[in-house]
Amino acid sequence: MKNYIKHHEWNIIEEGFDPHVNQISESIFSIGNGRMGQRANFEEEYSGETLRGSYVAGVYYPDKTRVGWWKNGYPEYFAKVLNAPNWIGIHVSIDNQKLDLAKCKVEEFRRILNMRSGYLLRSFVATLGDGKKVKIESKRFCSMAHGEIGAIRYSITPINFTAKATLSIYVDADVVNKDSNYDEKFWEEVYKEASEGRAIVTAQTKKTFFHVTTGMTYTIESAGKKATFDRVNIEQREKFAGNVIQLDLEQDKETVVYKYAAILSSENHPKDKLVENCKSVLDEASSKGFDKLFEEHEKVWFHKWEECDITIEGDVAAQQGIRFNIFQLTQTYTGDDERLNIGPKGFTGEKYGGSTYWDTEAYCLPFYLATAEQQVARNLLVYRYKHLPKAIENAAKLGFTEGAALYPMVTMNGEECHNEWEITFEEIHRNGAIAYAIFDYVRYTGDEKYLTEYGLEVLIGISRFWAQRVNWSARKNQYVMLGVTGPNEYENNVNNNWYTNTIATWTLKYTLEAVDFVKKDDSQAYQNIVKKTKLKEEEETAKWRDIIDKMYYPEDKHQGVFLQQDGFLDKELLTVKDLRPEDRPLNQKWSWDRILRSCFIKQADVLQGLYFFEDNFDQETIRKNFDFYEPMTVHESSLSPCVHVILASKLGYKQKAYELYLRTARLDLDDYNNDTEDGLHITSMAGTWMSVIKGFGGLRVKDGRLHFNPYVPDQWKSYSFRLEFRGRVVKVKITTDGIETKLESGSPMEIVVKDEVVKIS
Ligand code: BGC
């Protein structure tokens, strides 16, 4: 755990330059706008440890993963989010000495992420080898108003000298992924041009043939006026284009480079128009200028914060933590493009391939449902609808038939791109989360039409999968599900994972309800779905009902707990307290074999089911299971604590809830898991939001109404948040005296506070 980020309500602040934490800060101070993202790398050259990272949404590379122990059904590739061309570069040399923070004395170093306005500020004073001191300040943002524009204001002020300087301002597609095998490069040059004041490179990804055109233009001002240069040289080499400018720097006079970048991808433009369109975007950016662009960008952020801010009184560290999570989520997914999704690392690193996991449906959806227009969450569902044909193909590869759909564990375009048999073939509970998300969306928004339009088809595909995946046990006289991995990945290939069996039958029930709904809602639409999916209604629904009636769920009646899987009680039942500190984290200290045999749990499993389906269980059952499983849980997935906060809050375990909340809220800011340098835990940030709203705030949606059962953690005075709900905006403030609610917009409504109906208007 680290503790170098200064606490502040709206800003993330690092003071003093410590190269050892540079890569962590590069992740933390990342900026993005839903279309692209940029780690907090330096504009100038840096020969120290760094993970350079620019990312463009939807652009990936299918890395080959064929291995000797190949198993039929494995996908052909593992998708990698691609480190995209560098648009931020501004190299500075003064009297032929390179400005490189690894090679000079650095003082007054500050990095600030201003979350309210969405920009990164960095400043420092560097002393070069010959004693020249120069002050640098750079401000940059990825425009939330124009998704293809990035802008930098880079200021240079000589403190004790006047000298000649050389600036190299460029775009560079000669970049490499950290996780590339054998340092293979994934980009090929397609086109480049450079002229005075402008440079453009179009690069193409190998195999996937995405084109990304990265262009830049700039202006330079000296002491507030357009600067004059001695010379501008055009610099071009493979995949690289830029300008090299020689100019005079005068003591105490500020020289400012305004660099505007345009990043366009063939996902959004015809390939043959990319360069032309890039030029128009560059012209637009430079004619508006930095201040105007920034004003437009900031306006979007102000609006976003109005929708999604949470304020916490009495705990600055908690306030900073929650805003940081909201900030990162908001700049990762804006919801205006249904082809995009939320990678576990967002645009802040390469790990997890930047692809889509069940994290989106199980953890992220509630955040977007409650903090943005309905369309944003809807687009996340439509994304999976569009992938349905691929999910059916994916299931077919594994031997399933007749339209059964298995959504991938990890995907970019609907195809599975993860190959570990115990995950790819067995961690099938993900399919249930996709069905659950449809339910969650409809419950929250009341948009039942979604079932008719898209939802039912997906539910039919998933239900068909469950119906084929279970088998009848003659011995038990019940249906069972063998060879699965539950959410707790510290168990593989188990039989009858309670959570998976539970979500499977729940899906079947929900699909039956959806069939009834769509039939009544629009009989023609229903007929079309029957035709399209070739649904044999009578036969298939009868089978689903039979499975619902006769499913086996492992449990121990004596202790009153559901069993994570068959045989769980045969393990040596220890608790986390029995572990030595040097054993933690288990996934770094123990062999996989030892982990699998132990009782220790990576993340909510049975408890995930109790969280999703809490209304089906009484409080005592939830308590017994929580008391049994939580003490064995090591929370080594960042997705784990939030579910426990929500359940602990429900059970009145306030202390436990807060303790777990702290693990999620500042997970990356304080580098709890020692892995922030790889990128931020974007999907679990939504879990932090849920911890506050569903945990402390006790928010649930039942019968089309918002229900609250709130409390204030002892460490806080009060907290407030806003919720978008069915065309209304509701402001909620929770203090130790109770709850204040205000309808900020929309028609009057009823809410339920601690089981009492309250009208708000
Ligand atoms: C978790 C999964 C999750 C994945 C990506 C893993 O460590 O166990 O549940 O989907 O990370 O966040």
Side-chain angles (χ1 to χ4, degrees), residues 106-124:
V106 184
E107 290 166 299
E108 295 172 42
F109 181 91
R110 284 189 115 206
R111 232 185 301 222
I112 299 178
L113 183 67
N114 181 313
M115 300 186 284
R116 197 170 168 72
S117 306
Y119 65 89
L120 169 65
L121 198 69
R122 186 172 58 101
S123 57
F124 57 89

Side-chain angles (χ1 to χ4, degrees), residues 109-153:
F109 181 91
R110 284 189 115 206
R111 232 185 301 222
I112 299 178
L113 183 67
N114 181 313
M115 300 186 284
R116 197 170 168 72
S117 306
Y119 65 89
L120 169 65
L121 198 69
R122 186 172 58 101
S123 57
F124 57 89
V125 172
T127 308
L128 303 178
D130 63 359
K132 287 195 177 72
K133 267 182 191 273
V134 61
K135 180 174 186 318
I136 304 287
E137 188 177 275
S138 91
K139 173 175 174 179
R140 76 172 179 241
F141 61 93
C142 294
S143 173
M144 287 288 267
H146 306 268
E148 294 170 322
I149 295 179
I152 305 172
R153 180 189 189 279

Side-chain angles (χ1 to χ4, degrees), residues 526-561:
Y526 180 69
Q527 284 319 318
N528 294 345
I529 294 171
V530 168
K531 205 162 150 214
K532 186 170 171 196
T533 59
K534 301 199 179 71
L535 180 71
K536 294 184 224 123
E537 188 190 323
E538 213 174 308
E539 189 187 316
E540 292 190 63
T541 57
K543 171 87 182 171
W544 298 346
R545 284 198 181 87
D546 198 44
I547 298 169
I548 294 167
D549 290 345
K550 298 179 191 145
M551 181 62 119
Y552 164 72
Y553 305 97
E555 65 179 304
D556 183 67
K557 291 225 164 74
H558 175 65
Q559 298 193 59
V561 294

Side-chain angles (χ1 to χ4, degrees), residues 288-319:
K288 279 195 173 149
F290 188 88
D291 293 341
K292 175 90 185 128
L293 283 174
F294 180 69
E295 199 184 296
E296 292 173 353
H297 164 75
E298 194 179 40
K299 216 165 136 192
V300 178
W301 266 114
F302 288 170
H303 172 67
K304 292 266 179 203
W305 281 116
E306 271 172 24
E307 288 177 320
C308 62
D309 193 19
I310 294 182
T311 52
I312 297 172
E313 231 195 313
D315 188 339
V316 179
Q319 176 68 77

Side-chain angles (χ1 to χ4, degrees), residues 344 352 357-359 409 427 487 489 602-603 637 639 683:
Y352 291 112
Y357 286 65
W358 74 303
D359 303 25
M409 186 66 197
E427 207 177 327
E489 291 178 340
K602 181 182 183 188
Q603 67 200 94
S637 160
L639 298 174
T683 48

